[in-house]
Amino acid sequence: MSGWDEEDARRLLEGVVPDELLAAYLKLLAEDGCPQAEAGALLGDAEAVEALTCRGMAHVRPGGPVAPPRLVPAPPDLALQGVLAELGRRLACEQERLLTGHRRLNESHRRPRASAGGSADQLVEIVTDRAEISRLSYALINAARRDWLTLDNYVLETPVQESTGFAPLPVFDGEVTCRAIYETRCAEHPIGVKTIEAAVQAGEQARLLPRIGMKMKLADEAVALLPLTPTGMSGALLVRSPVIVGALREYFEMLWERAVPFGGGTVEGPLTGIQAAILQMLAQGLSDEAISRRVDLSLTTVRRHITAIRETLGVETRFAAGAAAVRRGWIK
């Protein structure tokens, strides 16, 4: 085709049209068209021919008394113009569907629904059916489009096992930011730490806090699921109120700032200098008496510091304190 070559076509069309369609167009361009009856064989199938013609990237040139009709490519600039027009029509249709969906969603939130314990406007709904709570938990994950935020204190109805299932992270081509704050003991349970590591590997940003008062799941700034019981499986609140969801988001962000990154190697812990020194000695296995002599403090004072360290780390034993501090990067 005069004045145009494959490089020009690629420069204009690559990334705008699907790769398979671009390959078919380039093949037709290189041949400068072909008999209409042979187009399917040349381009792979009749669907490729239809895709090119409906986008204006090719057209059928009528034949004459001796020449059969030919499928000929449009110049790359006109092909791009046709593609953009088709995309515009499709986007306009999708936009209308999007607006219709949002309108219906708003109407459903305002419309009263008959459900036990539900409020009239459904901004806050009590859910007590276990199956429904589980369904809502998974549905919220799929509803997230920007942010998926969770709090997990590892309070479970049954002991966690290797076979315990956990909801997968939402995956929308990297468009959803997943952040989770876990209670420290989650990361100190052998299966819990594997679960967190798997989530982090899948793209989650994870942090730890010594204490988390409740579980929480929050999709964007639109809806949240809160527990009515410690585990949340026998009673939950589904919250759609923008005011409450906004406050829960602020609460999450406040905890996020205080939390320690999971696996961080050089995070400074909130301990005094003497507590940091005692913690280092705890990790080395020294007894209370030995630590007392090393730091030149009374045994009572050392034990008071050890209690404060355990409370800060959210653990019950000396050994767990050392392991938790190493995991957080407070000591080497």
Side-chain angles (χ1 to χ4, degrees):
M1 183 173 292
S2 177
W4 295 97
D5 58 21
E6 181 179 333
E7 184 177 348
D8 294 324
R10 284 189 180 277
R11 177 175 54 82
L12 287 174
L13 298 170
E14 197 164 37
V16 180
V17 301
D19 292 343
E20 300 81 1
L21 191 60
L22 178 58
Y25 173 78
L26 293 176
K27 187 177 294 185
L28 190 65
L29 187 68
E31 297 291 331
D32 198 19
C34 69
Q36 182 182 12
E38 301 173 8
L42 175 67
L43 303 182
D45 54 39
E47 290 183 3
V49 177
E50 182 180 357
L52 289 175
T53 55
C54 75
R55 288 171 172 80
M57 299 177 70
H59 62 275
V60 177
R61 180 185 298 165
V66 293
R70 290 178 62 81
L71 181 71
V72 297
D77 59 340
L78 295 182
L80 178 58
Q81 184 174 321
V83 167
L84 294 179
E86 193 271 340
L87 279 175
R89 288 192 297 271
R90 199 186 326 161
L91 287 174
C93 180
E94 293 297 320
Q95 177 71 10
E96 182 60 30
R97 292 171 60 188
L98 178 66
L99 292 175
T100 299
H102 277 297
R103 186 165 56 249
R104 290 178 182 175
L105 182 62
N106 290 334
E107 290 171 356
S108 74
H109 287 174
R110 292 193 297 268
R111 185 184 303 120
R113 288 183 298 165
S115 63
S119 61
D121 56 6
Q122 293 300 307
L123 293 180
V124 178
E125 182 179 354
I126 298 175
V127 185
T128 56
D129 181 75
R130 289 173 177 265
E132 179 66 5
I133 292 171
S134 180
R135 187 194 68 79
L136 284 171
S137 181
Y138 280 84
L140 280 184
I141 294 174
N142 294 320
R145 288 298 181 269
R146 295 182 305 277
D147 295 291
W148 174 245
L149 312 177
T150 60
L151 299 177
D152 194 343
N153 56 12
Y154 225 52
V155 176
L156 304 170
E157 291 191 331
T158 58
V160 66
Q161 301 175 352
E162 290 285 357
S163 59
T164 301
F166 294 92
L169 294 178
V171 179
F172 296 103
D173 298 326
E175 295 178 4
V176 178
T177 300
C178 305
R179 291 187 289 159
I181 305 174
Y182 299 91
E183 193 162 301
T184 304
R185 57 179 171 172
C186 300
E188 290 164 359
H189 190 288
I191 299 175
V193 72
K194 289 181 182 179
T195 303
I196 300 175
E197 287 172 347
V200 170
Q201 189 173 7
E204 180 182 86
Q205 301 173 43
R207 293 192 178 185
L208 304 175
L209 275 178
R211 290 282 186 272
I212 295 177
M214 67 175 183
K215 299 175 183 290
M216 182 178 77
K217 302 178 189 294
L218 195 152
D220 302 328
E221 293 186 2
V223 59
L225 190 65
L226 305 175
L228 287 176
T229 61
T231 66
M233 287 309 298
S234 55
L237 283 179
L238 183 65
V239 182
R240 297 189 185 91
S241 164
V243 174
I244 299 177
V245 174
L248 291 171
R249 175 67 183 263
E250 290 181 9
Y251 173 64
F252 179 92
E253 297 295 351
M254 180 180 67
L255 294 182
W256 184 260
E257 291 300 318
R258 290 171 45 200
V260 178
F262 174 77
T266 58
V267 179
E268 183 179 353
L271 301 178
T272 66
I274 189 63
Q275 287 174 344
I278 291 173
L279 178 59
Q280 186 76 48
M281 287 180 251
L282 282 176
Q284 295 170 358
L286 272 66
S287 66
D288 294 357
E289 292 77 7
I291 294 173
S292 174
R293 291 192 295 271
R294 288 275 191 94
V295 298
D296 195 23
L297 292 174
S298 70
L299 188 58
T300 300
T301 301
V302 166
R303 286 175 173 164
R304 188 169 62 248
H305 280 308
I306 292 174
T307 299
I309 291 168
R310 290 205 314 268
E311 289 177 351
T312 300
L313 288 166
V315 297
E316 302 297 332
T317 67
R318 298 161 55 93
F319 175 80
V326 171
R327 191 183 303 281
R328 295 188 187 195
W330 293 2
I331 60 176
K332 297 187 181 298

